[in-house]
Amino acid sequence: MGGDHAPAVTVTGARLALERFPSITRLYLVGDEETVKREVDAQLFADARLEIVHAPEVVDMGESGLKSVKQKKKSSINVMADMVKAGDAQAMVSAGNTAAMVASSRVKLRCLEGVEMPGIASPLPNEHGPNNILDAGANVHAKPLHLLHYAVMGTVYARRVQKIKDPLVGLMSVGEEDEKGTDFTREVFALLKEARGIHFIGNVEGHDLFATPLHVTVCDGFTGNVVLKSCEATAKMVSKYLKTEIKANPITAIGGLVAKPAFDSVKRRTSYDQVGGSPLLGVRGVSIIGHGSSNEIAIMNAIRVAVESVQHEVNPQIEEAIAALR
């Protein structure tokens, strides 16, 4: 029921996922049963692995996440979390209220052994593979230890799911030198420098996000969310400017047509649709958070991320890596 284009794109994305990922043995569409069934029937969507689970309440995008856990126990997000907690499902996916996904996952699923606070890993396109911003908004009041755990969890995720052999970890700061930053970042730096099991390359800055060999960038949730949304807004602005200038006169319009394959290729490489969803790392079970404007391809890929996280046993690996720190 969540997202700007639900339930149509959610149902379509689920159908595409079942078509492309045969390892899925059961897929639950959780939401208002009548609404969801109407959309399923309209798409002639029939699959023995599909089941609709009724959830009469919906968490609106502007609602408090923690309040929604307490006051809307039958919302689709809370029903999903209950299913994962009970073992009826292994993963939950939503393009709805991010705060509600985080709150419901934390309260109902709890954190993995040794993890104090979960974090959202949002991959940015980088010349050397995905660069996971962690945390991208789950925890705005982070402690240094939380960022150490983010580095460890991001490393496990990058290695297991994204198949990066030796993930490189950077700490978001205002300069590359070791002593740069605030008291908080310098304390985090010291922890990361001494940590086992991660390949820490030091402080990184904004210009490193897309070009420097980097696979995990750790920061508090406030900083990560600002970075992520600023990058999204910049990409949209550049795209809008390009379209305006290309259409400005016949010559540039012809040039735009000639260059269209290149533009399409860049769009595919940088599009959130291909990423699909961001995992909330550190909770028991798998919780995947999609963008509010997700289309059907993004929903399909969010489900793919959930499948891969389960298949590659990310959570047991995280618990083992966190235990090694102690």
Side-chain angles (χ1 to χ4, degrees):
M1 305 303 293
D4 299 342
H5 311 293
V9 299
T10 314
V11 173
T12 306
R15 175 169 55 80
L16 293 174
L18 285 176
E19 290 173 358
R20 301 197 185 184
F21 311 129
S23 62
I24 298 175
T25 56
R26 178 72 63 181
L27 195 150
Y28 301 98
L29 288 176
V30 185
D32 178 72
E33 186 172 14
E34 183 179 344
T35 304
V36 176
K37 189 175 187 307
R38 188 186 309 120
E39 185 62 41
V40 168
D41 292 342
Q43 295 191 26
L44 303 178
F45 184 5
D47 192 301
R49 296 172 293 168
L50 179 72
E51 185 175 330
I52 298 173
V53 176
H54 183 51
E57 296 178 305
V58 176
V59 179
D60 295 328
M61 295 303 283
E63 288 189 63
S64 163
L66 193 56
K67 284 185 179 179
S68 72
V69 176
K70 298 177 180 178
Q71 299 174 0
K72 291 190 173 180
K73 298 184 183 299
K74 293 300 181 181
S75 70
S76 51
I77 288 176
N78 283 326
V79 171
M80 282 195 301
D82 287 335
M83 293 175 68
V84 174
K85 181 179 179 180
D88 297 326
Q90 292 171 289
M92 54 191 282
V93 179
S94 176
N97 187 309
T98 298
M101 279 288 284
V102 173
S104 189
S105 298
R106 278 189 60 195
V107 171
K108 293 178 177 292
L109 304 184
R110 302 295 182 180
C111 289
L112 294 170
E113 182 69 30
V115 176
E116 284 197 4
M117 192 70 66
I120 301 171
S122 288
L124 290 176
N126 182 289
E127 292 180 20
H128 306 275
N131 176 18
N132 300 280
I133 302 293
L134 187 62
D135 171 34
N139 177 23
V140 298
H141 302 294
K143 300 177 182 178
L145 181 63
H146 299 162
L147 270 68
L148 172 61
H149 288 175
Y150 295 160
V152 172
M153 294 190 295
T155 295
V156 170
Y157 181 77
R159 183 181 292 131
R160 301 287 294 186
V161 175
Q162 298 171 334
K163 302 302 180 184
I164 299 169
K165 185 177 181 180
D166 184 26
L168 304 178
V169 179
L171 171 63
M172 180 60 70
S173 189
V174 294
E176 295 180 358
E177 296 81 5
D178 295 5
E179 69 276 4
K180 287 291 182 71
T182 63
D183 291 342
F184 175 78
T185 58
R186 285 192 290 270
E187 186 173 347
V188 175
F189 186 100
L191 289 174
L192 295 176
K193 191 174 181 179
E194 297 299 323
R196 298 168 55 190
I198 65 171
H199 189 163
F200 180 51
I201 64 171
N203 288 333
V204 296
E205 301 177 78
H207 60 78
D208 294 308
L209 294 176
F210 303 100
T212 299
L214 188 61
H215 305 108
V216 181
T217 300
V218 295
C219 54
D220 62 271
F222 182 91
T223 301
N225 197 259
V226 170
V227 168
L228 189 65
K229 290 180 178 177
S230 296
C231 291
E232 290 177 355
T234 301
K236 289 179 180 178
M237 180 192 69
V238 171
S239 177
K240 182 179 179 180
Y241 285 175
L242 276 173
K243 290 177 181 178
T244 300
E245 294 302 322
I246 287 172
K247 295 176 181 179
N249 63 69
I251 295 177
T252 54
I254 292 172
L257 287 174
V258 174
K260 189 176 184 302
F263 289 141
D264 290 342
S265 178
V266 171
K267 184 177 180 180
R268 283 193 298 272
R269 290 180 62 183
T270 59
S271 174
Y272 181 83
D273 302 347
Q274 302 306 312
V275 172
S278 301
L280 179 65
L281 299 178
V283 296
R284 301 181 185 277
V286 173
S287 180
I288 307 298
I289 300 170
H291 198 287
S293 62
S294 292
N295 61 18
E296 61 274 13
I297 302 301
I299 296 295
M300 177 194 73
N301 281 314
I303 296 171
R304 171 184 56 78
V305 172
V307 170
E308 291 172 345
S309 296
V310 172
Q311 289 179 334
H312 295 298
E313 300 182 327
V314 169
N315 284 347
Q317 294 293 323
I318 287 176
E319 289 186 320
E320 183 177 321
I322 294 294
L325 289 175
R326 302 197 297 272

